[in-house]
Amino acid sequence: MRRYGDPRISGKPYRTRAGAYAVLPKNGRVLLTYQAGIHHEFQLPGGGIDPGESPVQALHREVYEETGWRISKPLYLGAFRRFVFMPEYELWAEKICHIYRALPVRKLAEPPEQDHSAHWASPEQAAISLGNPGDRAFLHAVF
């Protein structure tokens, strides 16, 4: 599986964390989430897969929590890994990022997850704004 970003740092106790994320195109634009707080970055909506949850179930839940939108027709595109420190959990993680393309259907609410906001961007602006190269690679694959 391809790695994006920094390599594993020797001696760090990495914990594997699988997540599901989506490229959400609509009318020539893409829906992103902005995470304020400690991160301050634009991201593909998505996040961790909870125990007992399938990747698609996690994708639906996480996209709603981070954008307030309901999605449909998720199509699996692939996966990549990142080695990162996750300050909100105080752990070093090997993130396994499963990427989907899905259709944003309807905005149901403002994002319920604290410090998140939903933003529409052109593919070009999204490519500049996304915080990690793995997200950018899959965005390019869709557009």
Side-chain angles (χ1 to χ4, degrees):
M1 178 182 311
R2 182 164 182 183
R3 174 185 55 83
Y4 286 94
D6 296 329
R8 177 186 287 268
I9 299 171
S10 180
K12 297 290 182 191
Y14 288 95
R15 184 171 141 203
T16 302
R17 293 202 27 115
Y21 305 86
V23 177
L24 300 169
K26 184 172 183 158
N27 300 326
R29 300 178 69 77
V30 62
L31 182 59
L32 303 177
T33 186
Y34 180 77
Q35 185 175 0
I38 56 179
H39 290 283
H40 294 285
E41 70 179 7
F42 284 95
Q43 304 165 348
L44 293 179
I49 301 168
D50 290 340
E53 202 174 37
S54 75
V56 171
Q57 289 170 324
L59 184 70
H60 282 275
R61 177 183 53 76
E62 286 283 351
V63 169
Y64 173 73
E65 289 174 358
E66 294 184 356
T67 68
W69 278 74
R70 174 159 297 173
I71 62 171
S72 70
K73 300 183 181 177
L75 174 67
Y76 187 72
L77 299 176
F80 68 92
R81 74 181 65 218
R82 298 175 60 210
F83 294 100
V84 298
F85 181 70
M86 299 178 72
E88 64 270 36
Y89 301 109
E90 296 186 13
L91 66 87
W92 289 91
E94 176 185 6
K95 293 183 79 173
I96 307 299
C97 304
H98 298 277
I99 310 296
Y100 293 79
R101 179 188 187 279
L103 302 176
V105 175
R106 184 177 65 205
K107 181 177 179 178
L108 300 177
E110 291 302 314
E113 193 163 315
Q114 184 177 354
D115 293 329
H116 282 77
S117 54
H119 299 270
W120 289 98
S122 69
E124 297 80 15
Q125 186 59 49
I128 293 167
S129 301
L130 285 170
N132 79 71
D135 286 358
R136 289 191 296 272
F138 279 92
L139 176 76
H140 285 297
V142 169
F143 286 96

